[in-house]
Amino acid sequence: MGGMDKNIWVIANWKSNKTIAEALDWVSKVGSYIPKKENFKVVVCPTYSCISEVKKAIKVGNFPLLVGAQDLSPFKAGAYTGEESAVLLKDLIEFSILGHSERRKNFGETDEMVAQKVQQALANNIIALVCVQGEETLIPEQCSLIAYEPIWAISTGLTNTPGAGKADNPENAEIVAKFFKQKYGNNLEVIYGGSVSSANAKGFVSQPNINGILIGNASLDPGEFIAICKSCLE
Ligand code: PGA
């Protein structure tokens, strides 16, 4: 990535996948590869059931990997059955993915709930990445990192599989990233997500206004994830 004068975020969103054993195998393979570079920020977002083990393995291996949750409670700790609140997670995570379209669609998350989640994250020193589905999506106040993820581009398969993969094209994602920066200020970092793989990652991170990628399916395989990281650093 040339002089690497901007941040590059490479974020693995495992969604509802991986046993603890599979998660630890991934961390041991990927962790030892990731270079220690200040502007190159690699984040793994496991399920809640794996977070604590993943965190320990990263600590023991001294790997430059951040840990994130795929969601957070909009509430503080208390009588909220089934919720994971930021104040209880903050010792385990540095990062959170909020307002993913799968949560908006399957769990009825609204812009108001996403804004409350962002507040909870930031109050507990957890970085909040808000997923936006298009230029019309509201971005909560104080949010400084968003992922542009058009719904039609999510989970269409690896783009290096012939006939599969319908990622947005990098030039269009760049236009959207620029739109958000013009609207919300240049301090906002914008990353792209939706069918990213080692075949197309570099095209996105090379765009001047795109600060990284959010990867679902292709992040599950350690070899493919390493190939994505490598391509971003070339
Ligand atoms: P995908 O998922 O890479 O499998 O398309 C991306 C996401 O939903 O964050």
Side-chain angles (χ1 to χ4, degrees):
M1 224 13 259
M4 281 266 289
D5 50 356
K6 63 175 183 179
N7 281 339
I8 299 286
W9 294 90
V10 180
I11 302 161
N13 174 13
W14 286 353
K15 307 192 179 182
S16 197
N17 291 293
K18 287 200 189 291
T19 62
I20 291 174
E22 288 165 347
L24 294 179
D25 178 63
W26 188 101
V27 171
S28 68
K29 287 180 174 143
V30 172
S32 49
Y33 163 69
I34 306 297
K36 292 190 170 82
K37 277 189 194 298
E38 213 198 319
N39 295 342
F40 189 60
K41 298 176 183 296
V42 183
V43 187
V44 57
C45 302
T47 57
Y48 290 127
S49 51
C50 289
I51 283 182
S52 155
E53 290 297 319
V54 163
K55 179 79 182 170
K56 259 190 258 167
I58 289 172
K59 208 172 168 192
V60 170
N62 193 24
F63 299 138
L65 277 169
L66 300 175
V67 182
Q70 300 168 17
D71 183 31
L72 282 180
S73 175
F75 304 112
K76 294 179 177 168
Y80 302 105
T81 302
E83 285 296 272
E84 293 282 358
S85 75
V87 70
L88 302 177
L89 279 167
K90 70 176 178 200
D91 294 336
L92 294 172
I93 60 171
E94 295 90 24
F95 192 94
S96 56
I97 300 173
L98 303 175
H100 192 284
S101 60
E102 289 158 8
R103 296 213 54 86
R104 293 180 195 257
K105 177 173 163 242
N106 299 317
F107 303 96
E109 272 188 19
T110 61
D111 288 336
E112 291 71 33
M113 287 161 79
V114 176
Q116 279 179 275
K117 289 175 185 212
V118 169
Q119 269 180 16
Q120 289 300 317
L122 298 181
N124 288 286
N125 290 322
I126 296 168
I127 298 164
L129 168 71
V130 172
C131 298
V132 305
Q133 290 69 52
E135 291 177 353
E136 66 295 342
T137 310
L138 275 182
I139 299 182
E141 254 177 69
Q142 295 177 297
C143 177
S144 57
L145 182 62
I146 62 168
Y148 162 56
E149 292 206 311
I151 292 173
W152 50 264
I154 294 179
S155 294
T156 69
L158 296 179
T159 45
N160 45 9
T161 308
K166 290 194 174 56
D168 201 348
N169 66 64
E171 294 71 28
N172 189 50
E174 166 68 9
I175 291 170
V176 177
K178 215 165 161 184
F179 165 85
F180 279 116
K181 287 192 184 188
Q182 271 162 2
K183 188 165 174 195
Y184 291 92
N186 263 333
N187 287 340
L188 181 73
E189 292 187 305
V190 186
I191 70 170
Y192 170 78
S195 297
V196 173
S197 73
S198 57
N200 61 12
K202 170 94 180 167
F204 290 104
V205 299
S206 309
Q207 301 295 327
N209 287 294
I210 297 184
N211 287 95
I213 40 185
L214 175 58
I215 312 139
N217 196 24
S219 76
L220 294 172
D221 176 61
E224 172 66 5
F225 189 74
I226 290 169
I228 291 171
C229 291
K230 275 189 181 158
S231 76
C232 292
L233 290 166
E234 271 165 12

